Amino acid sequence: MISLDAVKELLEKTQQTQLLRFWDQLGDEERSSFLAQLSTINLKNVNELFGKARDTLRENVVKLDSRMKPVPQELFGAEQKTDDEELDLFRGAGLEEISKGSVAVLLLAGGEGTRLGVSYPKGMYSVDLPSGKTLFQMQAERIRRILTLAKERTGKKGRVCWYIMTSGRTNRITRKYLEANDYFGLDENDVVLFQQGLLPCFDFEGKILLAERNSVALAPDGNGGIYRALDDNRILEDMERRGIKYVHIHSVDNILVKVADPVFIGYCIKKQADCGAKVVSKNGPNEAVGVVCKVDDRFQVVEYSEITEETAKLRDSAGNLTFRAGNICNHFFTTEFLRRIVKQYEPELKLHVAKKKIPYVDESGDTIVPSAPNGIKIEKFVFDVFQFTNKFVIWEVPRFTEFSPLKNIDSVGKDCPSTARRDLLHLHKYYVEKAGGSVGEDVEVEISPLLSYAGENLQTIVKGKSFNSSTVIKSDDECNNTANGHFKHSL
Ligand code: UTP
């Protein structure tokens, strides 16, 4: 642990002495926990960090239109433009690698979920589906189903390691929740939790804020903190030990996410990509979503605020938006690519700055919960590594089968619990109808991920059947074995 003298010296050099404002009033225990926390912060570089972040804030105002090009056609695959035979080729390639144990899932679950406003990790959220399943449970069960599909296809079940990145606030409770629920039927050895880093929060003048009299206000370093966290937690070594070659990275909050999607993985492998992004077509020029494109010959996600309306409205000869590749935080990386990023490029990652309302302790020691933004949080983004790829591809998928994020409270009316629930049930109705069943008006039919991953395996159960009351269609195992079907949904 760092000594008080060393802290004082560093804080004087960096003009952050306000952090010790209450030192004389602290008890022994408070002092030692404060020093322990300060030891985890890179105090030497805090001003450089703030300076870089402030520059980024200025840069953001610049529009990128004149430097942007769409991703070239040959790197732009689309599920809807691919015939069934080729889709099955990709699926087969993905399942083959899954059965060899070469595929891992990396779940980004370190966010604070401030917009949704719950006190527990977002993965534990239930949108009140008929089954009551949470996001974590559905994702774990999709992995279990994919292992069954790999076995059916190749004769070998394989493994998919589920790496879950948490942060200070979400780590302990996520761990306890998964443990209490027996990892939702996954092998405990294939579920690996690790924590991302935290960065100090600053006021607009670059002074670090105190969250309490003896603690600095810290926030997770963004989902791009994954690269540093992979190194700090020796996850790449763990991947190497397990023989993992391909990683599917995605956010925790897309209720439709196809975890370890064999089609996407197979497509990226067949194209020999080291980095891939799954995208959905923007639903209009004004949708506030980042688009994947080329800027000065490097791949990048350009935020909605970085394009003028004129460019956002551009259309190609087929009438599609020129810049339509909406980024959905769903990526493929080879472990080789991850290694390059972690060992070489991580320090070059761009810093993004968000003005936020950050609770702090004022000069008299009172905790203030501000009603307007009073400072900045600094974040890195997972997609900012696209610029370092040697072979990049994108894979466009239909929104209604793949993407419905949970970001907001219901009153916002968009990307919220009701829309996530609606979209999942709408998709499941579609699957039932496609398999020859019918669903009455206002009837809710939910399909267990243990029975069907993407609409397969339903015909024998639903063909010719009418569903006139709300139902959860379960796998045989779930019906026979209550231990498999009934998990605690909270702690
Ligand atoms: P968002 O940027 O939407 O943030 O995260 P959030 O934390 O879920 O919600 P708000 O903005 O506070 O309301 C997209 C994905 O990135 C993860 C989130 O958990 C989510 O899966 N994430 C975000 C991290 O893993 N770490 C972070 O520091 C930030």
Side-chain angles (χ1 to χ4, degrees):
M1 194 161 73
I2 196 165
S3 70
L4 177 62
D5 285 344
V7 167
K8 275 188 178 158
E9 198 185 320
L10 279 168
L11 295 184
E12 265 156 33
K13 267 195 196 144
T14 52
Q15 287 132 41
Q16 299 283 358
T17 47
Q18 80 285 354
L19 292 181
L20 293 182
R21 189 185 284 143
F22 302 105
W23 184 262
D24 294 342
Q25 301 162 26
L26 300 177
D28 286 348
E29 267 181 36
E30 287 174 315
R31 286 180 174 183
S32 82
S33 80
F34 195 16
L35 281 182
Q37 190 207 31
L38 288 166
S39 306
T40 66
I41 303 171
N42 186 350
L43 290 172
K44 261 191 225 143
N45 290 345
V46 282
N47 290 353
E48 198 185 322
L49 181 72
F50 179 76
K52 243 174 126 181
R54 199 182 36 201
D55 289 348
T56 319
L57 202 60
R58 288 199 201 109
E59 256 176 52
N60 267 351
V61 184
V62 178
K63 301 283 183 198
L64 294 171
D65 306 51
S66 60
R67 296 161 54 196
M68 286 167 63
K69 284 195 217 96
V71 175
Q73 275 305 312
E74 66 278 13
L75 306 179
F76 197 139
E79 184 187 302
Q80 276 160 314
K81 291 189 191 146
T82 309
D83 62 34
D84 286 350
E85 203 180 313
E86 202 175 5
L87 282 176
D88 198 53
L89 195 82
F90 297 150
R91 186 177 300 110
L95 290 172
E96 184 71 43
E97 293 302 329
I98 286 167
S99 71
K100 284 189 206 154
S102 327
V103 174
V105 170
L106 220 166
L107 175 62
L108 302 169
E112 298 194 295
T114 39
R115 285 169 287 173
L116 189 61
V118 286
S119 58
Y120 52 86
K122 233 194 235 184
M124 287 169 57
Y125 197 87
S126 151
V127 297
D128 198 22
L129 288 167
S131 68
K133 287 178 185 177
T134 61
L135 294 172
F136 278 143
Q137 180 167 1
M138 284 186 276
Q139 289 171 27
E141 291 186 350
R142 287 177 191 149
I143 295 179
R144 285 173 63 192
R145 174 73 190 150
I146 218 65
L147 291 170
T148 306
L149 290 175
K151 172 120 197 254
E152 282 171 14
R153 181 95 175 205
T154 67
K156 206 169 155 229
K157 191 174 176 196
R159 327 170 70 138
V160 170
C161 189
W162 199 26
Y163 293 98
I164 304 178
M165 181 173 81
T166 61
S167 61
R169 212 169 62 82
T170 63
N171 185 60
R172 199 188 57 86
I173 180 155
T174 302
R175 189 177 294 278
K176 276 184 90 175
Y177 174 71
L178 293 173
E179 259 170 33
N181 287 292
D182 295 329
Y183 302 90
F184 294 111
L186 289 170
D187 182 338
E188 178 183 346
N189 298 315
D190 290 338
V191 182
V192 177
L193 271 72
F194 63 100
Q195 286 193 59
Q196 69 179 103
L198 299 165
L199 288 175
C201 302
F202 295 87
D203 70 13
F204 295 127
E205 272 67 56
K207 297 284 179 216
I208 298 174
L209 292 164
L210 278 174
E212 291 168 61
R213 293 180 322 148
N214 69 329
S215 79
V216 169
L218 295 173
D221 56 355
N223 56 23
I226 183 75
Y227 305 108
R228 165 99 24 114
L230 287 176
D231 206 24
D232 290 350
N233 297 282
R234 306 182 75 76
I235 298 296
L236 286 178
E237 286 83 343
D238 188 72
M239 288 180 175
E240 196 169 325
R241 205 169 38 76
R242 292 170 189 260
I244 291 162
K245 294 202 282 189
Y246 310 107
V247 181
H248 182 207
I249 297 196
H250 63 82
S251 62
V252 69
D253 52 16
N254 172 12
I255 196 165
L256 303 183
V257 66
K258 287 186 178 167
V259 188
D261 177 9
V263 177
F264 177 45
I265 292 166
Y267 166 75
C268 294
I269 292 173
K270 288 279 178 202
K271 298 287 171 195
Q272 297 180 322
D274 59 7
C275 173
K278 196 184 257 197
V279 299
V280 297
S281 190
K282 268 181 77 166
N283 62 18
N286 296 324
E287 190 185 8
V289 59
V291 288
V292 187
C293 61
K294 265 186 144 178
V295 175
D296 300 338
D297 285 331
R298 284 181 170 200
F299 294 100
Q300 187 178 321
V301 172
V302 169
E303 298 292 349
Y304 178 64
S305 55
E306 295 172 312
I307 329 185
T308 62
E309 203 178 334
E310 208 183 344
T311 302
K313 281 182 173 163
L314 286 178
R315 293 195 180 261
D316 60 20
S317 53
N320 297 315
L321 289 174
T322 306
F323 296 105
R324 68 172 177 284
N327 182 47
I328 57 170
C329 196
N330 193 318
H331 313 305
F332 163 94
F333 297 131
T334 61
T335 39
E336 211 31 66
F337 177 72
L338 282 176
R339 191 164 298 116
R340 264 200 304 127
I341 300 298
V342 167
K343 300 293 176 202
Q344 192 177 348
Y345 295 115
E346 198 283 334
E348 290 177 37
L349 286 187
K350 184 170 166 180
L351 299 180
H352 298 259
V353 180
K355 294 183 181 168
K356 298 260 178 172
K357 298 177 217 166
I358 305 163
Y360 67 102
V361 169
D362 70 6
E363 283 171 26
S364 41
D366 296 326
T367 298
I368 310 288
V369 181
S371 54
N374 61 320
I376 61 162
K377 289 188 180 176
I378 299 174
E379 289 188 320
K380 296 176 188 175
F381 290 167
V382 64
F383 57 69
D384 276 333
V385 298
F386 292 176
Q387 57 174 318
F388 305 116
T389 165
N390 291 326
K391 178 75 193 279
F392 182 69
V393 288
I394 53 181
W395 181 240
E396 185 184 280
V397 292
R399 188 184 289 245
F400 90 100
T401 58
E402 301 247 7
F403 185 57
S404 178
L406 176 62
K407 301 284 183 194
N408 305 311
I409 48 173
D410 261 341
S411 58
V412 176
K414 186 176 163 290
D415 300 344
C416 58
S418 335
T419 54
R421 182 179 194 279
R422 176 201 68 198
D423 292 346
L424 183 119
L425 292 171
H426 173 253
L427 176 63
H428 287 192
K429 177 172 189 262
Y430 165 82
Y431 285 151
V432 168
E433 289 174 351
K434 211 168 149 216
S438 67
V439 179
E441 209 172 310
D442 296 330
V443 172
E444 295 180 331
V445 177
E446 181 187 346
I447 303 164
S448 166
L450 293 174
L451 174 71
S452 179
Y453 180 83
E456 81 291 345
N457 198 30
L458 293 174
Q459 280 208 357
T460 47
I461 303 174
V462 308
K463 196 164 180 197
K465 191 167 171 187
S466 299
F467 291 89
N468 297 314
S469 59
S470 291
T471 315
V472 182
I473 313 177
K474 296 179 182 169
S475 70
D476 283 348
D477 270 1
E478 275 173 292
C479 297
N480 300 333
N481 178 1
T482 43
N484 241 353
H486 289 115
F487 290 106
K488 295 176 218 162
H489 294 294
S490 56
L491 288 170

